[in-house]
Every structure is written in structure tokens, then in C-alpha cells.
Amino acid sequence: MTKVARSKKTQAQASAAPKKTGAVRKAVTKKDATPVASAAPVLLTPDTLPKPVMAGRDFLSNLDMTATELRAVLDTAHSMKRGEWRAVKPLAGLSIALVFEKASLRTRTTFDVGMYQLGGHAITLSNTEIGLGTRERVSDVARNLERWVDAVMGRVYLQQTLQELAQHASIPVINGLSDMLHPAQLLADYQTIEEEFGTDLRGRRVVYIGDGNNLANSHIHMGILTGTDVTVVTPVGYEPNAGVLMDAVRAGVNITLTNDLAAVQGADVLYTDVWISMGQEAEADIRRRAFQGYQVTPEMLDTLAPDGIFLHCLPAHYGEETVPEATEHPKSRVFDQAENRLHAQKALMYHLMGDLKPRW
């Protein structure tokens, strides 16, 4: 639906062990790579901030942005990580509600800290307080929140819940995770990938291994936007969502689906996620048997491209989809990836909310 944004302007249209947190990466120097980091940040001012490219819109899927808008968000994320935004508070006077049906470490911390660093305020609301769809209708929750806050982030069980929030709220709604998609995570993932390979990722091989879940679905969407060569390796019966695969067909993008573990060899990026997501505990034994052989180990990482990297969105269920020796491997960028949740989500919030005026 069209959002009624309180905008100042017209709405834009549409290696080594993990480095210490806060360390500034050196500029990318690989051949044909565009640098994404600098050791000497140039501080932005209110007059030099980029224009928000998604002002007042919802972000329920990576396909809610164009490739050009994705480029703007990732450029902002890199700039924020370099420290170029330290002198500005572009979201001063604004607030966001963080709605959680599912437990969270990274999503909760990074959206909260990110909003604070941008000058705004975040309020965390657990489902015991709200009772989405039980204590109150989702539509009523949306109509209440839009009167008090300037955006809503939801980490929920069902994509339908986010769609209903977005339908009934006139403020931006952000998908912090659903059963179908995890688009905010993929922004951080691709920021991390660009730190290794530069901003032109066309033809880079991204191999996802494991359950064809919300992460696999969002990887397909990012392949559509960036031109990466996405391969999804799953056991039979655990493939990605058919509707998401149709998104790739409609975009004219080839996605490789296979059960063959040999597809991992030579990959630029190897990505995995848990085999048993929250809400699937009753299937735990069945899933562990189905995914035998799909565990990411140091030996598997040794088969990647010489400069290939390993990513995992965390939390890791060690002994299932991976082992500690993999997340601590020289090819692992798992903890850089976790750090980048902060920078990528700050960039997203700025581009959704940066044109809003405080309502009080």
C-alpha cells in the first residue's frame, strides 16, 4: 500500500581470524574491485547526507528495493562503518517499535543501538506484551503503533503478520525475520561480501547449503538484484519456496538447485544456517537425519576458491550445520558479518526514515 510519509521532500522512487569489533577494514585491493573502506573517514554534515531512497516505504523483502536502491543502502552502510556519520544524527526525534515474537540477540541489539547512534529512540515490545493476533488483532496493533512511533520492525513467525502490519500502518514496516524471508540479514551479508570482493559481484558464486528456509529464499532475491551466481544445495524435500523461485524465473535469473555437495567446490561464498529453526522443534530428529552430510567443516572450507569466505547468520547449532572450527577458520567472516548487522540496518533505517520530521 502507499504510505503517508511525513516527508520534508518528495518521497524517492522507486585470511586471518575475525578482526576485533570496531576495527576499520583496509580498502579492497583485489583486481577489478571497487574499494568500500577507507582508513581516513571524511565526516558528513547535514548538508552532505545522501538523499533517502526509500522514504516512507515498507521493507518486507529484498525485492521491495531496486538494484539502484540496494546500491545506495549498501554504500551508506559502508560509509557508516567507516565512521563518516559520527557528526550527524539524522533520525533525531524519531522512534521505532521493535516487535518480537521470536527471541533475538543480533536483531534486537543492532536495531536498538543503531537507532540510538542515528539520534532516535527504539522501544522493544515482546509478544507477551502485545499478543499479536491473540490479545489484539494485528490490524489494531498497527493502527495504535502508527499514532506513536515512526516505523515498526517485526521479528515474527509468519510473513502474513508483517504484511498485515504493513497494510494497516501508514508508517514503514521492516521485516526483521519471518518464516519466508530474512531481508535485513542479507543486507549485512552482502556488505560483508563486498568487503572481500568489491561492489561488482556479477558472476561471483554464492553457495547456500542446508535447509531451503527464509535465508535461502532471501539469497535468491539478492541474486536477482546483484547478479551473483546463486546455488542452493539441500536434501531432497527441503528446497526453497516455489514462489521465490518464480520470482527468479520472472526476473530471467537462473538459480541452481541441487542435492550434490560437490557444488560447494570453488565457491566464492559458502553460507549455511541452522537445520532446525524456532518453531520446528517437533521435526528435530527427522531433520537431523535428512541433513546428515550437509555439515560445514574446515575440510569443506578448504575446497572453496582461494579467496573464498564462509558466512553463517548465527546462532550456530554446533554439531549440526557447522562446527566451531569452521566459524573460527581463516576463511570465516561470521563475526564481521554479525557486526555488519549494525551498519546495514542503520543504513536501511536512514533510507526509510531519513526524510521524516519529528511529530512532536
Side-chain angles (χ1 to χ4, degrees):
M1 67 180 289
T2 301
K3 298 290 178 179
V4 182
R6 304 179 309 285
S7 177
K8 302 176 194 173
K9 303 175 183 178
T10 303
Q11 177 175 310
Q13 300 296 316
S15 131
K19 296 177 175 59
K20 292 181 181 179
T21 301
V24 178
R25 277 186 171 274
K26 295 181 180 179
V28 172
T29 57
K30 296 177 183 179
K31 184 178 179 181
D32 299 326
T34 301
V36 297
S38 170
V42 177
L43 295 182
L44 296 176
T45 70
D47 293 330
T48 59
L49 294 178
K51 179 176 175 58
V53 297
M54 300 175 66
R57 286 158 47 188
D58 298 318
F59 182 70
L60 306 187
S61 159
N62 292 109
L63 294 188
D64 284 339
M65 56 174 53
T66 66
T68 300
E69 290 164 348
L70 171 63
R71 179 73 269 137
V73 171
L74 289 178
D75 284 347
T76 297
H78 291 305
S79 174
M80 287 177 168
K81 188 170 184 178
R82 291 193 296 265
E84 295 171 0
W85 292 63
R86 290 175 185 156
V88 293
K89 301 292 183 184
L91 301 189
L94 302 181
S95 57
I96 186 170
L98 309 179
V99 177
F100 291 95
E101 287 189 309
K102 289 189 171 187
S104 172
L105 170 64
R106 280 152 294 277
T107 301
R108 191 255 192 258
T109 304
T110 53
F111 271 104
D112 193 328
V113 172
M115 193 64 176
Y116 167 77
Q117 290 181 353
L118 294 174
H121 173 73
I123 179 169
T124 298
L125 300 169
S126 71
N127 204 40
T128 57
E129 296 166 304
I130 296 179
L132 277 172
T134 55
R135 181 175 178 270
E136 288 196 62
R137 296 189 309 176
V138 174
S139 57
D140 284 0
V141 172
R143 291 185 178 114
N144 277 264
L145 289 176
E146 71 175 359
R147 305 297 181 102
W148 305 322
V149 300
D150 304 288
V152 176
M153 186 288 302
R155 180 177 169 89
V156 301
Y157 283 99
L158 301 177
Q159 182 77 6
Q160 176 59 37
T161 301
L162 293 169
Q163 292 169 345
E164 193 170 351
L165 282 171
Q167 179 183 356
H168 293 284
S170 60
I171 56 178
V173 174
I174 299 169
N175 184 349
L177 176 140
S178 73
D179 61 332
M180 179 69 68
L181 299 168
H182 199 353
Q185 174 69 55
L186 267 290
L187 297 180
D189 298 342
Y190 270 72
Q191 180 180 359
T192 310
I193 294 169
E194 289 188 351
E195 287 176 342
E196 296 294 325
F197 301 110
T199 57
D200 185 357
L201 299 176
R202 289 172 295 180
R204 290 284 181 181
R205 288 193 63 223
V206 176
V207 177
Y208 175 94
I209 181 173
D211 187 21
N213 60 12
N214 49 8
L215 265 299
N217 294 334
S218 289
H219 269 287
I220 291 168
H221 282 170
M222 287 296 281
I224 294 171
L225 291 174
T226 65
T228 52
D229 180 358
V230 175
T231 297
V232 179
V233 186
T234 66
V236 175
Y238 292 91
E239 293 81 6
N241 178 268
V244 171
L245 292 171
M246 282 303 302
D247 291 336
V249 171
R250 284 189 289 269
V253 173
N254 292 322
I255 302 296
T256 302
L257 302 182
T258 183
N259 315 121
D260 188 355
L261 294 168
V264 170
Q265 296 178 11
D268 296 303
V269 179
L270 177 62
Y271 199 113
T272 195
D273 187 24
V274 297
W275 297 341
I276 305 158
S277 297
M278 283 180 279
Q280 297 176 333
E281 289 80 6
E283 307 171 34
D285 291 340
I286 296 172
R287 283 177 167 266
R288 288 190 187 101
R289 288 194 295 270
F291 287 95
Q292 288 302 308
Y294 287 78
Q295 184 183 84
V296 175
T297 63
E299 292 74 23
M300 186 180 287
L301 298 186
D302 290 340
T303 72
L304 303 182
D307 56 354
I309 61 173
F310 169 52
L311 299 178
H312 188 311
C313 64
L314 298 179
H317 292 176
Y318 292 121
E320 293 182 3
E321 80 280 356
T322 192
V323 294
E325 294 79 7
T327 59
E328 296 163 8
H329 191 278
K331 288 184 178 292
S332 172
R333 298 296 180 271
V334 168
F335 298 103
D336 289 332
Q337 174 189 7
E339 178 189 344
N340 286 340
R341 290 290 299 275
L342 174 63
H343 308 298
Q345 288 162 184
K346 282 165 59 180
L348 175 65
M349 288 189 290
Y350 171 75
H351 281 284
L352 293 174
M353 304 170 65
D355 265 6
L356 296 181
K357 296 178 181 178
R359 63 176 76 196
W360 53 277

